Amino acid sequence: MVDLLSHRHRIRTIQLEDDLTVLTSLQAEADITADDRARAVTRATDLVHKIREDADPGLMEVFLAEYGLSTKEGVALMCLAEALLRVPDADTMDALIEDKIAPSAWGSHLGKSSSSLVNASTWALMLTGKVLQDGEGMAAVLRGAIKRLGEPVIRVAVSRAMKELGAQFVLGETIDKAIARGAKRAAQGYTFSYDMLGEAALTAHDADSFHDAYRDAIARLAPHATSDDIRNNPGISIKLSALHPRYESAQRDRVMEELVPRLRGLVHQAKAANMGLNVDAEEADRLDISLDVIEAVLRDPDLAGWDGFGVVVQAYGKRAGPTLDWLHDLAVSLDRRSMVRVVKGAYWDTEIKHAQVLGLQGFPVFSRKAATDMSYLCCARKLLGMTDRIYPQFATHNAHSVAAILEMADDPTAFEFQRLHGMGEALHDVVLAGNATRCRISAPVGAHRDLLAYLVRRLLENGANSSFVNQIVDKTVPAEVVAADPFPAAMAPDANAVVALPAEIYGAERQNSKGWNVQDPRDQEAIAEARAPWATHHWTAAPMLALP
């Protein structure tokens, strides 16, 4: 019996629940046994050995092996790249480069990397640091002159270096260039999902530009969708926040009136081309209204018979499980088949800080990486049981996640793996060669001006020394550690003690003030209920000086 309303109620109530409570429920439902997990670890360990012995690591893995968040220089680069996104003028950029580049020991990294590009970058950073270092006496005066003359050059060099690094992770500036550049991988058996770079629309003009870009991209991809099986054709990812400048629950009526027809038009265009279209996942506050938009579009009877509508679900969100249940039952109620791409999540630091600032009861995302990995596997088990209506797409660069899914799956052709262009290449090459499952590359497309924001997200996601992308090339980390089972760490008794809960961010001194999340439908209802008794009350106000 399909009950969409109960799923939506559960999605709303589970949002801020305790991590261990949510994980316990996921584990009970998934029923992943200790034997299942042991087989996954064995298979993942073999994968790690094979990658290290036979495959060449990608540039991201090599770069992070040298400049991960475990090094002072890596932190400086991450801070610099992230901060450059918001620098308004050349003088501030010069000061920022001096602050982050000069004090670091770049020479200690010289020649250490297996990549000539990384080594060349190290030379540039080392020389830049020497130019910018302070000194005393006449030497300091000379260095000051060099510094004044050199900073514009350094500014351009650093910006250019960031663009060059970012270009390694963007398939092309245009769809046509991306298709041409991806031809070699396509010949190896990979398919592609194209993602137009850019942040959320801030104006109606921005939204119109994004809509035109999406429409043009689908038109250019259509001639390449030549298979009768939509799973073998290229696809595209759509950001709802890029299609409407006020994509928020407070503007729900306007969003449903303006955004739904716009998305429906793109969906019909994708259907005509027999290619997939995925609605991308965004911040936690937008999930509820996203589901409203998705349901409104999917209920279009003209979409019957098309299996290409896709939704991205983030496993680091506590609502991932019931969201999958809702998507499956929606497909059942409409007699449709759809695609679901499950990812681990890309806005963790923002979600944690936002909840702390608002003083919420808890976090909408898990507070530990191991909990996200465990949630991902539980969601994978759930999706593998929904293949009657859903085509699962597992986006991951983690050998343990891949191995666990291969162990859980009865039919390797009923799903596909996905990776980002420029990352996870060695892992997916091994999987594609040794298994019947499909592999798809998520391929960002965009101009150089949009590269930096994308690059920063990738660096911050994978820069920690505990990340798989970082560890895979570090042979000092045993393969068994890289392929470790995340369940024990996720379910540890102190699992909630890593990040301070919103109410506890000031420690024992005082409790944080409780806030309201005006994007949460439950908080909206509570506020409306509190205001109800005063709905007919007439207030009179006047300056105090005017009182008799």
Side-chain angles (χ1 to χ4, degrees):
M1 179 67 178
V2 173
D3 187 358
L4 297 176
L5 289 178
S6 67
H7 289 319
R8 291 297 295 272
H9 177 73
R10 179 58 177 152
I11 290 170
R12 289 172 177 174
T13 57
I14 199 176
Q15 179 176 4
L16 302 178
E17 282 190 2
D18 173 80
D19 284 20
L20 290 178
T21 301
V22 178
L23 291 174
T24 300
S25 176
L26 284 172
Q27 185 179 33
E29 186 177 0
D31 192 27
I32 301 175
T33 67
D35 287 342
D36 294 334
R37 289 156 44 198
R39 287 194 298 272
V41 169
T42 299
R43 188 167 192 160
T45 302
D46 291 342
L47 268 177
V48 173
H49 283 305
K50 190 168 185 60
I51 292 168
R52 287 178 171 178
E53 292 168 4
D54 302 336
D56 293 326
L59 180 61
M60 176 64 86
E61 289 91 338
V62 173
F63 180 84
L64 290 175
E66 192 62 37
Y67 291 118
L69 290 179
S70 58
T71 70
K72 178 182 176 183
E73 293 73 37
V75 172
L77 279 179
M78 304 293 178
C79 292
L80 176 61
E82 195 275 336
L84 282 175
L85 295 174
R86 301 185 301 277
V87 172
D89 59 88
D91 290 341
T92 304
M93 186 180 287
D94 291 341
L96 180 65
I97 291 170
E98 177 180 356
D99 179 64
K100 296 302 178 187
I101 296 295
S104 299
W106 303 106
S108 63
H109 298 270
L110 193 59
K112 298 291 183 62
S113 177
S114 59
S115 166
S116 57
L117 178 60
V118 173
N119 284 329
S121 299
T122 298
W123 266 107
L125 291 165
M126 183 183 72
L127 293 174
T128 300
K130 287 187 177 298
V131 170
L132 291 173
Q133 281 175 344
D134 292 328
E136 297 178 358
M138 184 58 68
V141 174
L142 293 175
R143 274 193 291 268
I146 296 172
K147 174 178 167 181
R148 287 193 299 274
L149 294 172
E151 279 184 344
V153 177
I154 292 166
R155 179 173 70 247
V156 172
V158 170
S159 297
R160 181 64 182 173
M162 290 295 177
K163 287 181 180 179
E164 289 298 325
L165 186 60
Q168 302 300 315
F169 309 107
V170 176
L171 192 59
E173 291 187 63
T174 66
I175 285 288
D176 292 335
K177 289 181 180 179
I179 292 171
R181 189 178 177 194
K184 182 178 178 181
R185 285 293 185 180
Q188 295 173 336
Y190 283 99
T191 49
F192 287 84
S193 177
Y194 295 88
D195 181 7
M196 310 305 292
L197 285 177
E199 301 303 298
L202 299 179
T203 67
H205 176 73
D206 291 341
D208 290 341
S209 297
F210 276 116
H211 178 258
D212 293 344
Y214 287 140
R215 188 171 55 189
D216 179 67
I218 295 172
R220 292 184 177 279
L221 289 170
H224 300 273
T226 56
S227 175
D228 293 334
D229 188 340
I230 197 170
R231 298 174 298 180
N232 297 328
N233 286 335
I236 191 168
S237 291
I238 301 291
K239 283 187 178 70
L240 297 184
S241 62
L243 293 173
H244 200 281
R246 297 301 303 276
Y247 179 52
E248 56 192 72
S249 61
Q251 298 290 326
R252 184 186 184 281
D253 291 344
R254 181 180 168 190
V255 166
M256 299 304 289
E257 179 182 348
E258 299 172 4
L259 176 56
V260 169
R262 175 164 279 193
L263 176 61
R264 188 182 291 123
L266 294 173
V267 167
H268 278 282
Q269 187 185 2
K271 180 194 174 189
N274 195 35
M275 56 182 280
L277 182 148
N278 278 77
V279 175
D280 220 339
E282 301 186 65
E283 296 88 347
D285 282 348
R286 288 176 162 147
L287 176 62
D288 198 81
I289 194 170
S290 294
L291 300 185
D292 289 339
V293 172
I294 288 165
E295 181 174 359
V297 172
L298 266 180
R299 288 194 176 279
D300 184 347
D302 291 337
L303 297 180
W306 176 58
D307 302 339
F309 189 89
V311 180
V312 180
V313 175
Q314 299 179 117
Y316 76 172
K318 296 177 182 177
R319 297 171 288 178
T323 298
L324 296 179
D325 292 329
W326 180 82
L327 289 169
H328 177 264
D329 281 5
L330 179 62
V332 170
S333 69
L334 298 174
D335 192 22
R336 305 279 174 79
R337 288 181 56 82
S338 60
M339 300 178 173
V340 173
R341 178 195 301 163
V342 61
V343 301
K344 293 189 178 176
Y347 305 93
W348 184 86
D349 53 337
T350 300
E351 300 291 4
I352 292 293
K353 182 53 63 178
H354 183 60
Q356 290 177 332
V357 169
L358 288 181
L360 302 182
Q361 174 187 336
F363 300 118
V365 298
F366 294 108
S367 58
R368 302 184 78 182
K369 179 66 167 61
T372 294
D373 290 339
M374 176 179 168
S375 170
Y376 186 90
L377 295 180
C378 292
C379 288
R381 170 62 68 88
K382 183 187 286 286
L383 279 174
L384 289 171
M386 295 176 169
T387 53
D388 61 320
R389 293 290 175 178
I390 288 178
Y391 177 61
Q393 300 170 311
F394 299 114
T396 180
H397 307 116
N398 185 298
H400 181 274
S401 299
V402 167
I405 291 167
L406 290 172
E407 287 291 334
M408 289 189 285
D410 295 325
D411 180 3
T413 67
F415 66 93
E416 68 182 38
F417 286 115
Q418 295 190 359
R419 69 169 177 84
L420 288 168
H421 168 67
M423 295 177 58
E425 298 173 12
L427 170 62
H428 284 253
D429 285 349
V430 170
V431 171
L432 187 65
N435 299 274
T437 185
R438 297 173 178 83
C439 289
R440 186 179 299 270
I441 298 173
S442 181
V445 177
H448 285 304
R449 65 179 179 274
D450 298 317
L451 293 180
L452 194 54
Y454 176 79
L455 171 62
V456 167
R457 280 200 296 274
R458 300 291 80 81
L459 292 176
L460 293 177
E461 284 169 12
N462 298 285
N465 57 8
S466 60
S467 75
F468 175 82
V469 171
N470 197 318
Q471 290 182 340
I472 189 63
V473 295
D474 186 356
K475 294 184 178 181
T476 64
V477 180
E480 294 77 10
V481 173
V482 180
D485 175 13
F487 279 60
M491 299 299 290
D494 63 344
N496 291 330
V498 178
V499 180
L501 290 169
E504 301 169 359
I505 59 174
Y506 298 113
E509 297 178 11
R510 68 177 177 88
Q511 191 174 57
N512 188 19
S513 57
K514 180 183 181 301
W516 299 90
N517 184 2
V518 296
Q519 304 297 334
D520 187 334
R522 295 179 305 158
D523 281 5
Q524 292 172 0
E525 292 171 4
I527 293 170
E529 184 178 345
R531 293 174 59 188
W534 306 97
T536 59
H537 186 82
H538 294 281
W539 299 91
T540 301
M544 293 181 65
L545 293 177
L547 295 177

